[in-house]
Amino acid sequence: MEASPLEKARSQAFRLLSLRARSEKELRDRLSENHGRNVTDNVIEQLMEAGYLHDGNFARERARQLAVGQLKGNRAIEADLLQKGVGRTVIAEAIQAVREELSERDAVRKLL
């Protein structure tokens, strides 16, 4: 028996999320390439309710990767997250959280 469109979209979403964390916009864009809006919306809603998709968590993780792992500055982090569709308020909170761990000044010192 063939899988329903919802099951196919859900499987694709889990495959994408197993490769790396994604923002809601990133996942929505990828799912909408192969699935209709209603199916995509349904899968996104299910993933958010189950805790698999959360822009705040994604933004904090990505900001930490960029700030601590790559020693990027706040503007570079903001630009990266904006490109991934994360809202400015969520970005500001993520940057604030990561800067408690490693300030931008300390990152510059490490770079030099």
Side-chain angles (χ1 to χ4, degrees), residues 1 10-11 17 29 38 42 46 54 59-60 64-65 67 77 80-81 90 98 102 105 110:
M1 186 167 141
R10 194 178 7 243
S11 291
L17 290 172
D29 289 349
N38 289 340
N42 194 316
Q46 289 176 7
H54 188 278
R60 282 187 296 279
R64 186 174 191 289
Q65 288 173 343
I77 295 168
D80 181 88
L81 291 172
V90 175
V98 77
L102 177 69
R105 180 180 294 237
K110 279 186 166 186

Side-chain angles (χ1 to χ4, degrees), residues 88-107:
R88 289 188 183 275
T89 303
V90 175
I91 292 171
E93 292 168 357
I95 290 173
Q96 180 181 0
V98 77
R99 290 306 175 201
E100 290 175 7
E101 182 177 344
L102 177 69
S103 73
E104 195 169 24
R105 180 180 294 237
D106 289 341

